[in-house]
């Protein structure tokens, strides 16, 4: 293959990232769009970079050292990356490379001024923009200076920030090469950045123009605040004109300098409204060409706009795909299910196939389209009431969307809006036998699934699973199950409303539901205390567990049996896994490793329990809660009887207390049933994956996680897989991890988070939703992964979300704060069960509260104070 060291921008398109880097490929693509003007220039290719690097053999050793460094070892990275940059800058550019560059300069004009700009092969990609990771040099004049700055651009591949970025994103330094763009300088009146979607709200219909005088460097470097124009449907809908005291201008001999702007010009707009609209029209053309919203650098010169860069905006949350042009409003499923992390394609498709309502995927998350229910006044009221009781932020976000003029169409009540959300259910008797019957039904259905799936393999397994999903949905939609759940929730709401009204009691149900029977999730936490009781007397077993690494296999259980007391310890853990081993963090995603698959996940929690509790703690905790609830009941009833019409109020309240204690524990059972079934499905699918690996169809079993259920079915039928799709899905999944899913998302791309409309909290407090009463002070432990738990008695757990798998940690903490959650989500239910003051739905709690800080959690008032 003949090496090419220089390519004219006109010869390049966006398919040539490997040759000219992300920036060069985008500029080549831009220069081919009709009506878009790009300054003339050329690209020094990655061939030239590799040819020059070959002149410095010491680079290889330095890269080896670099790859072994910890991304958090800032000092070592700083030292070694500076050494690599010096090595590169000192390498003489080979004669044939230098000749190719000077020839290209001669054609454009040797003594003209140029911008010399880095263009790495892992830059301006759809999944990682790398913006600002490498260097740009402006107003470079003369061949000698240009060659010197090309070397500097090559060296900038190893700036400290670029190296750290790659290490944190799992990108091998050796796979990234540097091209360099050399472009004629533009000396603009004004310059800036155009976002073809609003970078703050995500709205794809609103473009944002930032503009300042002189070169765009003044804005990029933060030297001045820009003028900001917001443009929608061809008109400026909002603008802010800043006082622009300084600008960056080019110097005649090369380089740039800051200059002061005349006082009378400082508050003049850098663009007219007409120019801002014209620029956005160009931006829309560029966006259409690249197929996604763009972050565009522009310059305004005498004859109009010139575009000097365009890259994808990688921070926008994707929009669910639809086959119509209608407006849609989506509500996040993850915020209801306590799992806002991205899910892999198999996990997404399995949840979609087993869910009771249609679900739409975007950014590795699932959403429900609520447009029709919002469109009809009757169903709208029911929906807002239901989501508002669960998570006020979702309600506020939906009301914000409804305030947008005519975004949600209005349908008559008789239209297809459907019944009110969570419509009234027929009354049922307060009878514990109903709960027993439902649990037995669920267990029988799972036992039948386990029995029948054993003989199924290949395509027959997938046909069987599609039938199993129908049984799955039938169990979930059992009318009796729904009525029992609603009866428990409605009794909770009734008690909180009426006891608040009659006695001034806030959230009285929190205490009245302590240690309610039949709660499989709270039982799971207490059962791990019993496991700790078995292990605690055996010092050798405790020491062994302290040395167990976080691993993926169960081998440590076999090792346990060889120690004194180890057989009892292993049996206790095995018994626990038999009942709860199908659970894990993020359990709605079938691809997540279950405790049975990775039992070492439980070891840190068991050790915390061994350290922090006395024998018999589980039984004592449950009994204390039961007595507290009983005492509260007696107190409430006696106070009610002293009121006017007190006997009637006390009798009604007693009926509701009995009702809530009978039914509220069952609220957790359907999820346990779902996850139990999921583990059966997963074990069967992993056996298929093993067969595919043995047949050489897949390199590793976990590759099936990046295929949908239907795609996996096709692979099993054909014994063929598209490796490229698997790799693309892995890259996409990695990119979704950095995105924060919104509670509410519109088809315009607007991410609406909602707000608490409250003025009854102290200044500086963090506001959330009160879900479990009481006030507690303690040390905040910010824990993002259950395996990292290291808790002491009295600690307050601060995390993003808690699904049922976190409940074993709840027995050892004094309070709970989460970023996601609602009144009836699992974390809230279990916090009430254990009597933990808890506040959920606290935006950015894990960033605003530092690990180890002392905080005060007001579980009744719904806010957190950070203490000095």
């Amino acid at each position: 293959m003949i090496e090419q060291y220089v390519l004219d921008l006109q010869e390049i398109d966006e398919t040539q990232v490997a040759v000219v880097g992300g920036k060069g490929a985008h500029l080549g693509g831009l220069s081919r769009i009709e009506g878009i003007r790009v300054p003339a220039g050329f690209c020094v290719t990655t061939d030239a970079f590799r040819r020059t690097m070959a002149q410095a053999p010491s680079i290889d050793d330095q890269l080896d050292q670099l790859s072994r460094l910890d991304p958090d070892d800032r000092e070592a990275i700083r030292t070694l990356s500076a050494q690599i940059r010096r090595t590169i800058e000192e390498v003489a550019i080979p004669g044939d490379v230098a000749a190719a560059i000077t020839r290209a300069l001669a054609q454009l004009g040797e003594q003209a001024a140029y911008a010399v700009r880095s263009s790495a092969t892992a830059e301006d990609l759809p999944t990682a923009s790398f913006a600002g990771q490498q260097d740009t040099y402006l107003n470079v004049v003369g061949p000698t200076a240009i060659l010197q700055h090309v070397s500097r651009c090559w060296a900038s591949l190893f700036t400290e920030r670029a190296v750290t970025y790659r290490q944190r994103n799992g990108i091998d330094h050796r796979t990234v090469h540097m091209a360099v763009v050399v472009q004629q300088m533009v000396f603009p009146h004004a310059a800036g950045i155009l976002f073809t979607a609003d970078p703050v709200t995500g709205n794809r219909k609103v473009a944002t123009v930032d503009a300042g005088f002189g070169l765009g460097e003044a804005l990029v470097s933060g030297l001045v605040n820009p003028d900001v124009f917001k443009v929608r449907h061809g008109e400026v809908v909002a603008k802010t004109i800043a006082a622009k005291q300084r600008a960056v201008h080019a110097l005649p001999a090369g380089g740039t300098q800051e200059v002061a702007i005349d006082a009378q010009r400082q508050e003049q707009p850098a663009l007219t409204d007409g120019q801002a609209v014209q620029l956005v029209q160009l931006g829309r053309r560029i966006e259409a060409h690249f197929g996604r919203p763009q972050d565009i650098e522009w310059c305004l010169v005498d004859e109009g706009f010139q575009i000097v860069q365009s890259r994808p905006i990688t921070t926008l949350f994707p929009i669910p795909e639809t086959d119509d042009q209608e407006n849609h409003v989506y509500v996040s499923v993850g915020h209801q299910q306590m799992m806002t992390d991205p899910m892999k394609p198999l996990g997404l498709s399995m949840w979609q196939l087993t869910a009771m309502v249609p679900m739409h995927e975007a950014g590795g998350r699932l959403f429900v389209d609520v447009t029709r229910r919002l469109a009809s006044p009757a169903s709208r009221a029911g929906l807002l009431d239901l989501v508002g009781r669960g998570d006020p932020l979702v309600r506020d976000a939906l009301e914000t969307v409804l305030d947008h003029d005519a975004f949600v169409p209005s349908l008559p009540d008789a239209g297809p809006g459907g019944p009110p959300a969570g419509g009234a259910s027929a009354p049922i008797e307060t009878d514990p036998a109903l709960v027993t019957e439902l649990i037995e039904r669920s267990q029988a259905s799972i036992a039948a699934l386990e029995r029948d799936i054993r003989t199924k393999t290949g395509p027959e397994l997938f046909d069987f699973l599609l039938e199993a999903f129908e049984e799955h949905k039938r169990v979930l939609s059992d009318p009796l199950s729904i009525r029992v759940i609603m009866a428990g929730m409605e009794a909770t709401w009734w008690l909180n409303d009426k006891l608040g009204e009659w006695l001034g009691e806030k959230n009285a149900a929190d205490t009245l539901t302590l240690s309610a029977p039949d709660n499989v999730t709270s039982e799971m936490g207490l059962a791990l205390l019993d496991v700790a009781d078995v292990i605690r007397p055996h010092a050798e077993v405790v020491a062994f567990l302290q040395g167990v690494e976080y691993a993926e296999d169960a081998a440590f259980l076999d090792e346990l049996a060889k120690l004194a007391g180890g057989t009892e310890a292993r049996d206790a853990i095995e018994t626990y896994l038999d009942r709860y081993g199908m659970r894990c963090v993020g359990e709605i995603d079938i691809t997540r490793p279950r405790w049975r698959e990775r039992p070492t996940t439980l070891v840190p929690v068991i050790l915390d329990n061994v350290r922090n509790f006395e024998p018999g703690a589980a039984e004592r905790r449950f009994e204390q809660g039961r007595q507290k609830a009983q005492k509260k009941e007696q107190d409430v009833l006696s106070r009610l009887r002293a009121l006017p019409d007190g006997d009637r109020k006390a009798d009604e309240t007693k009926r509701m207390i009995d009702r809530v204690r009978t039914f509220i524990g069952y609220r957790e059972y359907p999820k346990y049933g779902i996850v139990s079934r999921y583990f059966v499905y997963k074990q069967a699918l992993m056996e298929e994956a093993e067969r595919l690996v043995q047949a050489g169809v897949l390199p590793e079993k976990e590759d099936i996680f990046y295929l949908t259920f239907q795609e996996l079915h096709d692979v099993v039928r054909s014994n063929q897989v598209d490796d490229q799709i698997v790799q693309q899905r892995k890259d996409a999944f990695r990119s979704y991890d950095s995105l924060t899913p919104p509670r509410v998302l519109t088809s315009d791309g607007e991410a609406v988070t909602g707000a608490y409309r409250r003025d009854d909290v102290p200044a500086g407090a963090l506001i959330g939703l009160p879900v479990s009463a009481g006030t507690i002070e303690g040390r905040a432990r910010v824990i993002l992964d259950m395996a990292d738990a290291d808790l002491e008695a009295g600690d307050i757990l601060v995390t993003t979300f808690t699904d049922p798998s976190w409940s074993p940690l709840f027995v050892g903490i004094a309070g709970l704060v989460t970023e996601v959650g609602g009144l009836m989500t699992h974390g809230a239910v279990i916090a009430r069960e254990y009597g933990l003051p808890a506040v959920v739905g606290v935006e950015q709690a894990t960033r605003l509260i530092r690990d180890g800080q002392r905080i005060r959690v007001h579980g009744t008032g719904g806010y957190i104070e950070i203490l000095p």
Side-chain angles (χ1 to χ4, degrees), residues 448-658:
L449 171 67
E450 288 174 329
R451 183 188 67 237
D452 296 343
I453 205 169
R454 280 186 198 129
T455 57
K456 307 293 190 287
T457 61
E460 187 192 4
L461 170 67
F462 288 82
D463 296 336
F464 171 81
L465 282 172
L466 288 171
E467 289 174 26
F469 298 161
E470 293 310 308
E471 166 67 2
H472 181 122
K473 289 194 274 193
R474 189 196 64 72
V475 172
L476 267 186
S477 61
D478 182 334
L480 179 61
S481 177
I482 293 166
R483 284 162 67 195
V484 163
I485 291 168
M486 289 309 298
M489 287 165 65
E490 285 161 359
T492 304
W493 299 335
W494 189 96
L495 286 166
N496 282 338
D497 291 348
K498 292 297 184 185
L499 296 180
E501 179 190 331
W502 293 338
L503 298 176
E505 283 269 357
K506 249 183 152 179
N507 302 335
D510 292 1
T511 309
L512 293 166
T513 54
L514 288 172
S515 298
D518 299 313
N519 188 319
V520 70
T521 308
S522 62
E523 287 166 6
M524 177 169 72
L526 296 174
L528 208 57
L529 287 175
D530 291 335
V531 173
D533 285 354
V534 175
I535 288 169
R536 192 178 294 105
H538 305 293
E540 207 180 332
V541 171
V542 173
F544 172 77
L545 291 178
Q546 284 166 341
V548 166
E549 290 295 314
Y550 185 64
E552 293 192 22
D553 58 57
F556 87 97
L557 289 171
D558 298 329
E559 294 296 312
L560 261 184
K562 299 171 186 173
L563 307 173
T567 304
E568 298 95 302
R570 184 191 62 187
D571 291 349
I573 294 171
E574 285 283 7
T575 302
Y576 186 86
L577 290 172
D578 287 344
R579 180 142 169 77
Y580 304 112
M582 77 295 287
R583 309 220 84 149
C584 67
V585 173
E587 60 194 11
I588 70 168
D589 181 353
I590 199 170
T591 72
R592 291 285 190 108
R594 310 284 132 178
W595 290 343
R596 172 51 86 185
E597 296 170 305
R598 197 179 282 175
T600 42
T601 309
L602 295 171
V603 170
V605 193
I606 293 171
L607 290 171
D608 282 348
N609 289 349
V610 166
R611 187 175 66 246
N612 296 333
F613 292 93
E614 295 295 319
E619 198 175 335
R620 274 197 309 281
R621 287 284 295 269
F622 190 80
E623 185 53 29
Q624 284 164 0
R626 199 183 63 74
Q627 287 180 12
K628 227 171 158 183
Q630 205 169 22
K631 191 175 167 202
K632 183 72 170 178
E633 178 181 329
Q634 289 163 354
D635 170 59
V636 162
L637 295 178
S638 65
R639 285 163 61 201
L640 284 172
R641 288 200 175 95
L643 298 176
D645 197 18
D647 285 344
R648 178 189 65 80
K649 288 173 178 166
D651 289 347
E652 273 189 54
T653 301
K654 171 64 176 154
R655 274 200 303 278
M656 284 300 175
I657 291 171
D658 290 346

Side-chain angles (χ1 to χ4, degrees), residues 53 427 458 553 642 769:
M53 291 305 99
D553 58 57
L769 178 66

Side-chain angles (χ1 to χ4, degrees), residues 718-737:
S718 66
N719 261 356
Q720 288 181 314
V721 70
D722 183 341
D723 296 333
Q724 212 172 348
I725 283 185
V726 172
Q727 191 52 53
Q728 284 169 357
R729 300 268 176 82
K730 287 180 179 178
D731 293 342
F733 178 75
R734 221 179 357 252
S735 74
Y736 296 152
D737 215 17

